[in-house]
Amino acid sequence: MPLALIALALSAFAIGTTEFVIVGLLPTIAQDLNVTIPSAGLLVSLYALGVAIGAPVLTALTSRWNRKHVLLSVMSLFVIGNLVAWQAPSFEALITARILTGLAHGVFFSIGSTIATGLVPKEKGASAIAIMFTGLTVALVTGVPLGTYIGQIFGWEATFLTVSVLGLLAMIGSAILIPNNLKQAKPANISSQLKVLTHPRLLLVYAITAVGYGGTFIAFTYLAPILNEVSGFNSSSVALILLIYGVSVAVGNIWGGKMADSLGPIKALTIIFAGLAGILLMLNYTAYHSIAAVFTILIWGAFAFGNVPGLQVYVVKLAEKYTPDAVDVASGLNIAAFNVGIAIGAWGGGYIVAEHGLMNTPWVGAIVVLVALVLTRYSGMLDRNAANLGKS
């Protein structure tokens, strides 16, 4: 495997860290900038909105550009966004920085897989993508708790400076190691993209993605305040609990992928959404007991991100059937749907915290996840009906 993949993995690590580290720093930032916890939650939702816009829109606008040039431009934007966050004189400036880095995130993951597969022989494509995404998994396991710890000891600004340095190193590595003559994928025409956006079967899966992920982030965005104010953990312990959560996420990703392969996406998603709703309901009771809270969060991590492989596989499967000339577009839009869910979930969670209190976020999140479960079962029924019509 070429060294250029390490540069891509480092980029994914920096980007993954900056997206999720804000969850651990929320109370610190809110106190330092004199804003409420729900207002600080906008740093999660507006970042995710930037990703949702950046993934389909900016990727389409740059589809004819040299892939390496797009990657370097995106990483430059990422570094600048984090440097602005480091020096942010106000909450408004910090929000602007988060939107900039969100836009960079969206484009990076849209083109990263294409670049990774272009670096290796065709038969090693899946392994190349896996190496790149290892950076994102490692970010959840180590980057987020480490970034939270740095922010609590040296100030939240230091976390953004550290991430910008990582992004700069990744950009230099990409500039040196990634070749200029990467194969350019043929851009999908406008009619193909519109077909994806208007096909009811694909829109249903995007709704499942957004609703299922959104339900998680109603509570996850405010995990640090829950641990501080309800479970009674001090700030330094929160970083350790996020480490436990990250390990669980990594295991859940692998488990979810194997389940989707062996049972099919619908059965796998049914199990995962049902389990996720149950865990969120359990958190309503266990959050008041420190050991039980940690145990619940450990299980939560496995379910919370275990749905990602199944949802991506399902979108690709349906796109190959209904929009075969725009499979990449359909896959990219599902990344956008994940982040629409994060944006709405974080915003909705903020509203709940402001109006009704922290401990109303887990049970509301559970109800939203159950809606995703109902939509999943309905989509499975449509699949069976289509298969039966095909037989007759």
Side-chain angles (χ1 to χ4, degrees):
M1 287 291 171
L3 283 174
L5 287 173
I6 304 301
L8 289 177
L10 182 58
S11 299
F13 174 80
I15 290 170
T17 299
T18 209
E19 177 174 24
F20 293 115
V21 76
I22 207 76
V23 170
L25 296 176
L26 218 57
T28 309
I29 291 173
Q31 184 177 11
D32 195 43
L33 294 179
N34 198 27
V35 296
T36 64
I37 290 288
S39 295
L42 289 172
L43 296 170
V44 177
S45 56
L46 291 176
Y47 180 97
L49 204 58
V51 180
I53 294 167
V57 177
L58 292 184
T59 302
L61 289 174
T62 58
S63 63
R64 298 182 187 278
W65 295 11
N66 178 289
R67 295 293 85 188
K68 181 176 179 178
H69 295 167
V70 175
L71 177 69
L72 295 179
S73 300
V74 162
M75 290 310 296
S76 299
L77 181 60
F78 175 80
V79 171
I80 291 167
N82 279 290
L83 288 175
V84 171
W86 168 48
Q87 289 292 298
S90 65
F91 182 63
E92 291 75 19
L94 186 54
I95 281 181
T96 302
R98 292 290 289 172
I99 293 171
L100 283 176
T101 47
L103 291 169
H105 176 141
V107 182
F108 175 83
F109 281 105
S110 289
I111 67 167
S113 297
T114 308
I115 291 173
T117 54
L119 293 169
V120 297
K122 190 174 181 181
E123 66 273 12
K124 293 185 178 179
S127 298
I129 292 172
I131 289 172
M132 186 192 80
F133 274 93
T134 298
L136 190 59
T137 306
V138 173
L140 283 162
V141 176
T142 60
V144 171
L146 187 59
T148 301
Y149 178 76
I150 290 170
Q152 288 165 350
I153 300 299
F154 302 104
W156 57 267
E157 299 94 338
T159 300
F160 290 111
L161 176 61
T162 304
V163 171
S164 66
V165 170
L166 286 173
L168 182 61
L169 290 173
M171 185 173 74
I172 293 169
S174 297
I176 295 169
L177 297 170
I178 292 176
N180 258 318
N181 59 344
L182 287 169
K183 186 179 178 183
Q184 196 84 0
K186 184 183 176 184
N189 57 43
I190 297 297
S191 62
S192 298
Q193 295 182 45
L194 286 175
K195 191 175 179 184
V196 171
L197 281 168
T198 55
H199 199 286
R201 295 293 286 110
L202 289 169
L203 289 176
L204 178 57
V205 187
Y206 296 148
I208 294 168
T209 297
V211 173
Y213 231 53
T216 295
F217 272 79
I218 288 173
F220 179 64
T221 304
Y222 302 96
L223 178 57
I226 288 172
L227 290 170
N228 283 153
E229 298 174 27
V230 180
S231 304
F233 289 101
N234 58 35
S235 295
S236 58
S237 298
V238 171
L240 182 60
I241 293 167
L242 286 174
L243 174 62
I244 293 169
Y245 184 91
V247 171
S248 181
V249 164
V251 172
N253 241 329
I254 297 166
W255 166 68
K258 288 184 176 179
M259 193 188 298
D261 284 339
S262 59
L263 300 178
I266 292 295
K267 285 184 179 177
L269 290 171
T270 297
I271 293 167
I272 290 167
F273 283 139
L276 181 55
I279 289 296
L280 287 169
L281 285 173
M282 190 188 298
L283 187 63
N284 274 284
Y285 304 99
T286 59
Y288 298 95
H289 310 281
S290 54
I291 294 173
V294 172
F295 182 71
T296 305
I297 288 164
L298 179 65
I299 302 171
W300 183 11
F303 280 98
F305 288 77
N307 54 24
V308 176
L311 286 164
Q312 279 296 100
V313 166
Y314 193 37
V315 162
V316 169
K317 179 182 170 185
L318 290 176
E320 286 171 346
K321 182 177 180 180
Y322 296 110
T323 58
D325 50 348
V327 174
D328 287 345
V329 174
S331 181
L333 284 170
N334 202 42
I335 300 295
F338 277 116
N339 284 279
V340 167
I342 293 172
I344 295 173
W347 174 83
Y351 175 80
I352 292 164
V353 171
E355 297 296 324
H356 306 288
L358 272 172
M359 286 313 296
N360 285 290
T361 55
W363 70 263
V364 173
I367 290 172
V368 173
V369 170
L370 287 174
V371 173
L373 175 59
V374 171
L375 292 175
T376 300
R377 298 308 302 169
Y378 176 63
S379 189
M381 184 191 75
L382 294 178
D383 289 343
R384 288 192 299 274
N385 291 345
N388 290 334
L389 280 173
K391 288 176 184 176
S392 60

